[in-house]
């Protein structure tokens, strides 16, 4: 993989997306909103009036995505990150998984899920974007009692008719993020004196999962690993809850983003054999090659060609 620093990768991605967006020819602003604030500066934005046209989505299914319930809700927002910021990953699950989601249980979708999960898939039950278990607020409390969700979730049966779940995190330029000290996420993981202090739900699922070695709380709640850990145990909470029998968590990211190469050995050394078997990383390049093999008709070639051109920095 590339030997760029994360800052170099982010700058290269920003320039690449800036150049790519020129073909849209309207409403592009690198320093939109409030350039005096560092959290808004230097991001590649679409002005919202143009973002509502769905320009961040692949043209071949753009109209369909714009009819999605969640997207229709976001179209009403004054400013929306998913629709307008191309350097963040919120929109990317739609471009990577929408055709699989719409097609459902077909041989080629089963083949893709088999390849990315490392399990032989006999039936794909459903594929959902931005999914968290539990429909009501009360139901959600019986899992992790927080706002953790999967960017994409695939529900399937394996060759032994075992009910499985695949939770997928999709990243682009992201790396670790600092915790807001006044947030529920902080109070659920870290005591006021800065020592690890897992909430009752985090403690229960982390221990019952069988994924972790003893005495690794400090590493799990660190900025680098917190999100990986939470997504991993969200799936474990579904197994404990009886929704599924087996679970695997994978993170999909560009090979050139050094952060995930960096954290993989750090996270794996905290895991038991079971934890290691239920966690994986997959680069965009590997995923696109899998899609290329399975979606090899003209429409599929156009779609995968778009993914490669859009997200792989040349």
């Amino acid at each position: 993989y590339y030997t760029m620093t994360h800052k170099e990768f982010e700058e290269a991605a920003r320039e690449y997306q800036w150049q790519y967006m020129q073909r849209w020819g309207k409403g592009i602003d690198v320093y939109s909103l409030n350039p005096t604030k560092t959290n808004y500066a230097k991001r590649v934005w679409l002005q919202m009036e143009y973002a509502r046209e769905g320009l961040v989505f692949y043209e071949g299914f753009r109209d369909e995505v714009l009819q999605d319930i969640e997207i229709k809700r976001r179209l009403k927002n004054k400013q929306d990150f998913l629709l307008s910021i191309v350097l963040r990953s919120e929109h990317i699950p739609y471009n990577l998984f929408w055709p699989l989601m719409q097609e459902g249980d077909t041989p080629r979708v089963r083949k893709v899920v088999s390849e990315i999960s490392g399990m032989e898939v006999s039936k794909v039950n459903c594929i959902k974007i931005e999914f968290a278990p539990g429909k009501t607020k009360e139901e959600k409390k019986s899992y992790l009692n927080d706002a953790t969700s999967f960017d994409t979730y695939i529900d399937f049966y394996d060759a032994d008719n075992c009910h499985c779940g695949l939770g997928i995190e999709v990243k682009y330029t992201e790396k670790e993020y600092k915790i807001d000290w006044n947030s529920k996420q902080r109070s659920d993981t870290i005591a006021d004196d800065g020592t690890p202090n897992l909430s009752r739900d985090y403690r229960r699922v982390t221990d019952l999962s069988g994924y972790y070695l003893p005495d690794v709380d400090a590493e799990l709640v660190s900025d680098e690993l917190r999100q990986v850990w939470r997504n991993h145990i969200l799936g474990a909470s579904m197994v404990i809850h009886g929704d599924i029998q087996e679970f695997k968590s994978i993170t999909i990211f560009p090979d050139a983003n050094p952060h995930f190469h960096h954290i993989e050995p750090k996270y794996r050394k905290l895991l038991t054999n079971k934890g290691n078997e239920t966690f994986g990383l997959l680069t965009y390049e590997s995923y696109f090659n899998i899609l290329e093999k399975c979606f090899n008709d003209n429409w599929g070639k156009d779609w995968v060609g778009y993914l490669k051109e859009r997200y792989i920095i040349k």
Side-chain angles (χ1 to χ4, degrees):
Y1 58 91
Y2 299 101
T3 54
M4 287 190 268
T5 65
H6 187 270
K7 186 175 181 184
E8 288 168 341
F9 165 67
E10 195 171 37
E11 289 292 338
R14 180 179 295 113
E15 179 61 26
Y16 186 76
Q17 289 300 329
W18 168 251
Q19 295 297 336
Y20 187 92
M21 290 168 74
Q22 300 309 304
R23 66 188 71 188
W24 297 341
K26 52 188 174 183
I28 302 158
D29 189 354
V30 179
Y31 299 100
S32 185
L33 281 191
N34 189 344
T36 62
K37 290 192 176 180
T38 54
N39 60 326
Y40 285 126
K42 285 194 164 185
R43 286 184 177 164
V44 186
W45 290 77
L46 270 169
Q47 294 166 17
M48 198 57 191
E49 63 179 299
Y50 301 109
R52 289 192 184 95
E53 295 178 20
L55 296 174
V56 295
F57 304 121
Y58 172 54
E59 192 174 11
F61 48 70
R62 184 179 294 158
D63 290 344
E64 295 171 40
V65 173
L66 289 173
Q67 295 305 309
D68 179 73
I69 293 170
E70 172 63 10
I71 298 301
K72 285 174 87 169
R73 182 183 71 78
R74 287 174 172 272
L75 291 170
K76 298 173 186 174
N77 292 342
K78 186 176 179 182
Q79 187 71 50
D80 189 273
F81 286 174
L82 187 153
L83 295 166
S84 62
I85 306 184
V86 301
L87 276 189
R88 287 170 53 138
S89 62
E90 281 96 333
H91 74 279
I92 299 178
Y94 289 91
N95 282 336
L96 267 56
F97 291 102
W98 184 266
L100 281 71
M101 187 169 118
Q102 299 306 304
E103 195 166 304
D105 185 42
T106 63
R108 64 183 183 177
V109 172
R110 289 196 293 271
K111 178 69 173 165
V112 171
V113 178
S114 294
E115 294 256 357
I116 65 176
S117 67
M119 303 156 84
E120 193 176 339
V121 175
S122 62
K123 185 186 179 197
V124 174
N125 300 316
C126 65
I127 299 174
K128 296 180 179 180
I129 293 173
E130 196 59 36
F131 170 78
K135 290 184 178 143
T136 66
K137 208 170 180 180
E138 279 306 308
E139 284 179 12
K140 288 183 186 299
K141 285 182 181 176
S142 61
Y143 293 89
L144 295 183
N145 192 21
D146 70 358
T148 310
S149 64
F150 301 116
D151 290 335
T152 304
Y153 177 73
I154 304 178
D155 192 278
F156 64 95
Y157 286 104
D158 71 7
D160 298 321
N161 208 35
C162 178
H163 191 184
C164 304
L166 181 67
I168 301 170
E169 271 296 290
V170 178
K171 299 298 185 186
Y172 190 48
T173 59
E174 292 91 344
K175 55 174 185 172
E176 78 274 3
Y177 65 94
K178 301 291 181 187
I179 204 162
D180 181 348
W181 199 252
N182 296 316
S183 66
K184 180 179 185 296
Q185 191 180 144
R186 194 280 303 173
S187 61
D188 279 351
T189 54
I190 301 171
D192 289 340
D193 64 1
T195 57
N197 183 31
L198 272 57
S199 71
R200 184 185 65 183
D201 298 288
Y202 283 169
R203 175 85 279 149
R204 175 178 61 88
V205 177
T206 299
D207 291 347
L208 288 176
S209 70
Y211 294 168
Y212 301 99
L213 296 170
D215 305 317
V216 294
D217 287 3
E219 292 94 332
L220 295 177
V221 304
S222 67
D223 290 343
E224 284 192 322
L225 301 182
R226 189 188 316 110
Q227 191 174 24
V228 175
W229 160 65
R230 283 172 60 202
N231 279 278
H232 204 172
I233 62 170
L234 181 60
S237 76
M238 294 176 69
V239 176
I240 293 164
H241 203 268
D243 300 341
I244 52 177
Q245 295 164 274
E246 297 289 342
F247 172 76
K248 186 166 186 179
S249 175
I250 65 170
T251 297
I252 297 182
F253 67 102
D255 192 36
N257 184 338
H259 173 70
F260 297 97
H261 295 291
H262 168 71
I263 68 166
E264 181 178 19
K266 289 190 169 188
Y267 188 60
R268 288 202 180 279
K269 75 177 185 181
L270 312 178
L271 301 175
T272 62
N273 288 340
K274 183 181 179 184
N276 271 294
E277 287 165 5
T278 55
F279 171 74
L281 295 175
L282 183 68
T283 64
Y284 279 18
E285 289 82 350
S286 297
Y287 178 59
F288 297 165
N289 287 339
I290 291 166
L291 291 179
E292 197 166 43
K293 284 190 298 182
C294 300
F295 283 75
N296 53 15
D297 55 7
N298 287 336
W299 188 94
K301 286 176 183 174
D302 285 346
W303 169 46
V304 178
Y306 164 86
L307 295 177
K308 288 184 172 184
E309 187 177 9
R310 176 74 191 279
Y311 298 115
I312 306 301
I313 300 169
K314 305 295 189 294

